[in-house]
Amino acid sequence: MNRPLLSLPLVLVMALWGGLGLSQGVRSMGMAGLVLPGPSAAYLNPAYAAYPSGPYGSDAGFQLPIGWLGLLLRPESNPLPALGGLSNLTNENSPFDLLTFYDQFSHPYEFLINPASSRAFINPATGFPEIRINIDATGIQITDYQGNPINLELGLGTPVGVGSSKALTPGPLFRIPFSLGDNLHLDFGLFAGGFGLGLSPNDNLRQALRSGQLQPNTEYALNLNGSAQAGISVGFGYATRLPDLPIPDLGTARLYAGTRGEAFYGLAYLEGNGSVGVQTDAQGQFDPNQPPVYRGSVFYTIPSNGFGFGVRADIGVVMEANGATLGLGIRNALGFARWSGTELRWDGTSSNPISAQSERSSFGFVPAFFLNAATQLPLEVGALIIGGDLGYESSWFGRIGGEYSLGPARVRAGLGFDNGFRLGLGAGFVGPGFTIDTALTTHRAPILGNTVFGIALSLGLGF
Amino acid sequence: MSRLALIALIFLLAGCSAATRYNINFNILSFIPQSQRTLSIPSGSGSVLFPGANQEGLLVPLPVRLDILERGQILVVATLTNTGSSTFSGNYELRLAPESDTNVNDNNGGDFGLGASSFSVPVGESRVITINLTLSDTENKNALDMIKGGTFRVAIRVGVSSSGGTLTLDQGRIAVVGRPFAIVN
């Protein structure tokens, strides 16, 4: 393996930690991911850069990586004993559980309450987690001690390459905005995300594991897909309030419009899909001397072998009327991106890849839509904000939720769909010069498939 | 099969704790075609090895060197039928050998026998013989070490004195239990 390839894990870790936890603020998580109108939504709708922050508040806190606490406080996921020797983790009496570690590590900004655990496989008769592998001449079956097939899918994020996303870079880890006056603004950002990793049996292998039967002249393989990217971006935008518009029955509507251009310089990129498998012969048997079949390609960019460059245009409008706010943002209305790097290709004939300089580029109209609306409901005690959003990026998502505030306290709830059903519950406290927000999170446990609950926490400081 | 098992094993590591055991069950009988599961034993005295026409036994492919194994079990069930006119008697034992030893019946190159016993089948009758061995550090350790070494050969040897009979394999299973995390101990 050459030196540049050794840098890839670094890119992956950076993208993983950047991409899996920070895409949404904790306040938003408490409402199932709902994004309320306001300047903090300017990334999704540039017109919000001219919208006041007062009506719906903001998600200004920075998330605390309390997943670290979960990792270290729980013996099942704490890898530190390995510093005194790997056997401290692997000896029979060690509580270390790779599945728990994996689940907590991949959710760095959440303290998982019930992380995935191999204890689900404990056979009461032996007291040990047990996995059964039944092998005969026609196939292999992998089950738990009760004979139930084990789900062999692992995934993090959604692998997306430049070919489908064009110049739509991942949401920034942070943005530093500057007002230039005259409704112009500039922002610098660092992005590291777009992280996706999928590992799954191919259809043939999935079928074989289910039935225990192999077919002749068939390739049984594991598929691996991955993507990640990182870089810096510069945005230049213009947003302004337009003349009020009288609307019959609604009264006067306030209108805002904005546009934003973003250029990025890409530091690292990874896009790969491949498989490793074995082929049966005409009798449906494996030849023990047959080498594995490798297929697929990995394209990667790191500073020593290439770079990325791209530009895109975003537009948005916001209307406020009768106490309600409605906004529509379109990102990547037109985008261009190009990455240069190295491509490794396996053609099924050898385990050694063919390496060549290569590039990935795209140009076109691949918009990401974001529509949101909110209003404040007057209450005798406290105040209530309710809202909803609907968007499309690589898939549809939508949320409804609300926030009730009473003095310095905030309580939030929401429902939504975003790669599955989402429930949001959250709370916050606004103190003098600081805010604390917390939210309940949920995700699907790897391998086991049950719902895992977690707690996210953010702290905002203002002086 | 071996590589399929290997990639499946690697895959499953993600669902594994330090205490997790893999219970791997090999259905050895399935590797012998149905039409070859019965051996005709000619009249006279001598010894026959089954399966394996050239004393090579049956090759059992194991995915890797299984240093992680803690214990195991071998179960062979066969039926002896006396088709001759005199008592069908003799002894039997299981033979194990490493992959490199292509004669599992010469006590040379690593092969050895275990589970030896005797039988006697009256004229016109059948008897079921069973070899059920526990493998551990205290019982049949040489067999456990053999399986830990990876791919191995297995056969059943029958020493007979008869006027004709048959041997039919009914079951052939090897079950081993290992702790995957032991691989990095």
Side-chain angles (χ1 to χ4, degrees):
Chain A
M1 189 177 286
N2 54 27
R3 240 180 98 234
L5 211 49
L6 289 173
S7 305
L8 277 179
L10 204 64
V11 177
L12 283 171
V13 169
M14 187 168 68
L16 170 70
W17 279 68
L20 290 178
L22 285 169
S23 56
Q24 288 177 328
V26 173
R27 180 178 185 237
S28 172
M29 281 184 196
M31 294 179 282
L34 170 67
V35 178
L36 290 170
S40 58
Y43 177 76
L44 297 167
N45 178 348
Y48 280 125
Y51 191 84
S53 62
Y56 302 106
S58 65
D59 208 339
F62 61 90
Q63 283 190 44
L64 303 175
I66 57 173
W68 281 104
L69 278 179
L71 211 56
L72 300 178
L73 292 180
R74 201 176 270 119
E76 292 86 350
S77 58
N78 185 357
L80 291 184
L83 295 175
L86 199 54
S87 62
N88 289 337
L89 290 189
T90 60
N91 76 72
E92 188 173 355
N93 298 318
S94 166
F96 187 72
D97 188 330
L98 196 57
L99 186 58
T100 306
F101 171 80
Y102 167 82
D103 199 14
Q104 181 64 80
F105 180 80
S106 59
H107 296 86
Y109 297 96
E110 301 169 29
F111 183 97
L112 301 184
I113 297 167
N114 60 328
S117 168
S118 297
R119 296 181 64 82
F121 295 123
I122 286 180
N123 181 348
T126 63
F128 298 120
E130 191 176 299
I131 291 170
R132 292 195 174 171
I133 303 168
N134 300 312
I135 301 171
D136 65 23
T138 58
I140 178 170
Q141 283 187 309
I142 300 171
T143 69
D144 63 13
Y145 73 93
Q146 294 174 304
N148 302 315
I150 292 175
N151 175 22
L152 298 179
E153 313 267 351
L154 287 174
L156 293 170
T158 305
V160 177
V162 68
S164 56
S165 65
K166 307 299 178 194
L168 194 61
T169 53
L173 289 178
F174 61 84
R175 289 171 66 227
I176 305 173
F178 298 94
S179 175
L180 301 179
D182 295 330
N183 301 320
L184 295 170
H185 57 91
L186 187 68
D187 63 79
F188 295 95
L190 172 70
F191 66 88
F195 182 86
L197 181 66
L199 185 62
S200 62
N202 72 357
D203 290 342
N204 295 332
L205 181 55
R206 187 178 288 115
Q207 177 63 28
L209 292 171
R210 196 177 299 132
S211 67
Q213 299 293 315
L214 295 178
Q215 302 299 318
N217 301 315
T218 303
E219 190 170 316
Y220 294 91
L222 290 176
N223 295 327
L224 176 66
N225 299 298
S227 69
Q229 53 181 300
I232 53 177
S233 63
V234 179
F236 181 74
Y238 176 80
T240 188
R241 181 176 167 185
L242 300 173
D244 292 350
L245 182 69
I247 300 178
D249 301 328
L250 282 179
T252 302
R254 290 181 179 175
L255 296 176
Y256 302 84
T259 184
R260 179 173 178 271
E262 182 183 291
F264 77 85
Y265 180 82
L267 299 169
Y269 184 88
L270 173 69
E271 180 184 323
N273 62 81
S275 69
V276 55
V278 284
Q279 174 97 24
T280 53
D281 60 19
Q283 283 73 46
Q285 304 280 332
F286 289 114
D287 176 355
N289 298 316
Q290 179 210 39
V293 181
Y294 298 91
R295 298 184 193 281
S297 66
V298 171
F299 172 80
Y300 69 94
T301 299
I302 53 177
S304 63
N305 77 338
F307 66 96
F309 170 76
V311 291
R312 74 163 204 259
D314 305 340
I315 56 174
V317 292
V318 174
M319 183 180 80
E320 186 180 52
N322 207 19
T325 304
L326 176 68
L328 173 65
I330 302 174
R331 286 177 296 148
N332 205 26
L334 195 61
F336 166 78
R338 178 182 177 277
W339 290 84
S340 60
T342 302
E343 179 157 4
L344 307 175
R345 181 169 291 281
W346 290 263
D347 59 5
T349 60
S350 168
S351 61
N352 297 317
I354 301 160
S355 175
Q357 278 297 111
S358 185
E359 68 172 51
R360 294 282 189 277
S361 65
S362 66
F363 172 74
F365 174 68
V366 186
F369 296 96
F370 180 73
L371 180 71
N372 69 343
T375 188
Q376 294 185 71
L377 297 179
L379 299 175
E380 287 187 11
V381 179
L384 179 66
I385 297 170
I386 58 170
D389 65 15
L390 181 68
Y392 180 84
E393 198 162 319
S394 54
S395 60
W396 286 97
F397 59 87
R399 286 81 58 135
I400 56 171
E403 177 184 79
Y404 175 75
S405 57
L406 181 63
R410 307 283 184 270
V411 180
R412 306 174 185 111
L415 291 172
F417 62 93
D418 187 357
N419 281 326
F421 173 77
R422 285 188 65 170
L423 166 70
L425 288 174
F429 184 84
V430 181
F434 73 94
T435 60
I436 293 177
D437 290 301
T438 185
L440 181 74
T441 66
T442 59
H443 70 267
R444 193 175 161 84
I447 294 183
L448 300 172
N450 60 296
T451 299
V452 175
F453 295 94
I455 299 288
L457 191 66
S458 76
L459 175 67
L461 298 173
F463 302 97
Chain B
M1 177 56 61
S2 60
R3 288 188 173 82
L4 181 62
L6 173 62
I7 54 180
L9 285 173
I10 293 170
F11 207 43
L12 277 171
L13 275 177
C16 193
S17 73
T20 297
R21 261 65 172 183
Y22 284 170
N23 192 332
I24 307 170
N25 297 290
F26 299 92
N27 182 356
I28 295 173
L29 189 66
S30 72
F31 289 87
I32 304 171
Q34 186 79 37
S35 59
Q36 298 173 24
R37 291 179 185 171
T38 298
L39 174 71
S40 289
I41 299 172
S43 63
S45 297
S47 121
V48 293
L49 191 87
F50 186 62
N54 298 307
Q55 309 289 305
E56 77 277 18
L58 177 71
L59 194 67
V60 180
L62 287 186
V64 285
R65 284 180 58 88
L66 294 172
D67 296 328
I68 62 172
L69 292 188
E70 297 175 330
R71 62 182 187 278
Q73 185 184 29
I74 296 178
L75 174 67
V76 176
V77 178
T79 301
L80 288 161
T81 302
N82 188 345
T83 58
S85 54
S86 60
T87 300
F88 181 18
S89 62
N91 53 66
Y92 58 88
E93 70 174 354
L94 195 74
R95 303 292 302 182
L96 291 179
E99 182 182 11
S100 58
D101 184 0
T102 53
N103 186 338
V104 305
N105 198 23
D106 62 357
N107 292 317
N108 186 24
D111 62 281
F112 58 86
L114 69 166
S117 189
S118 60
F119 66 90
S120 177
V121 186
V123 174
E125 294 188 17
S126 296
R127 289 283 184 274
V128 173
I129 60 171
T130 300
I131 301 174
N132 191 352
L133 302 172
T134 297
L135 315 182
S136 70
D137 282 339
T138 55
E139 286 182 85
N140 300 304
K141 184 173 186 306
N142 52 352
L144 183 65
D145 290 341
M146 175 75 72
I147 295 174
K148 280 182 177 182
T151 298
F152 64 97
R153 296 174 185 275
V154 63
I156 183 169
R157 186 182 69 182
V158 183
V160 292
S161 170
S162 80
S163 55
T166 60
L167 169 68
T168 301
L169 282 177
D170 300 320
Q171 284 191 62
R173 291 186 177 277
I174 295 181
V176 290
V177 177
R179 195 172 66 86
F181 269 47
I183 207 164
V184 285
N185 271 349

